[in-house]
Amino acid sequence: MFVSTAYAQTAAPAGGGGDMLVQFLPLILIFVVFYFLLIRPQQKKMKEHKAMLSAIRRGDRVVTGGGIIGIVTKVGSDDELTVEIAENVRVRCLRSTVNLVLAKTEPAGKSGGDATPTATPEGEAKPADAPAAGGIGKLFGRK
């Protein structure tokens, strides 16, 4: 009375490989979209950041991971920098903690322009190729 009769169904005949392809096509399409929208741009960004870190030299103005802005005074071993964050205040930091290079200095032997500092309206000295006045403020959303 409580047990119903179960009827066995016959299995559908195994079709071709086309049915399997249709089942996996959405997964393949999702992977391709993820590759072009997420993985590839991230790899490109990491490559640019690594090139920026390897090009850091003395005199560059940098922003560290903690938000400290300073000028590189010494490039130590492969992964160490000495950054001056205030007058006579120097900190050692890892090269990998640098997030952004604000102002690049020209190499000493390069001609075509001098890297002598110019005065800003506030009276603060900055390298010739530094961002315009208020450039750092724009970077952090200040006016």
Side-chain angles (χ1 to χ4, degrees):
M1 200 183 308
F2 293 111
V3 178
S4 62
T5 309
Y7 295 98
Q9 284 185 320
T10 58
D19 190 30
M20 290 292 277
L21 181 64
V22 170
Q23 289 178 351
F24 285 114
L25 189 63
L27 292 174
I28 294 169
L29 185 64
I30 288 171
F31 181 75
V32 169
V33 168
F34 269 98
Y35 176 76
F36 282 107
L37 292 180
L38 295 174
I39 298 170
R40 192 166 172 242
Q42 184 67 23
Q43 287 176 342
K44 183 179 178 184
K45 186 177 178 181
M46 285 175 52
K47 183 187 259 187
E48 290 173 356
H49 189 259
K50 190 173 183 180
M52 180 207 46
L53 291 180
S54 65
I56 291 177
R57 62 178 155 252
R58 193 175 61 124
D60 290 350
R61 194 165 184 192
V62 297
V63 178
T64 65
I68 298 173
I69 299 173
I71 297 174
V72 177
T73 57
K74 181 181 176 187
V75 178
S77 63
D78 292 338
D79 60 346
E80 192 174 300
L81 302 171
T82 302
V83 180
E84 184 172 355
I85 57 176
E87 256 184 69
N88 297 324
V89 178
R90 293 187 176 132
V91 294
R92 288 181 10 206
C93 65
L94 293 175
R95 188 182 292 254
S96 60
T97 61
V98 173
N99 284 344
L100 182 64
V101 176
L102 294 175
K104 298 286 294 173
T105 57
E106 293 294 322
K110 192 171 185 179
S111 61
D114 59 353
T116 57
T118 57
T120 62
E122 294 86 21
E124 159 187 325
K126 68 172 188 166
D129 58 347
I136 296 173
K138 287 181 184 178
L139 178 70
F140 294 109
R142 297 186 198 126
K143 289 185 179 182

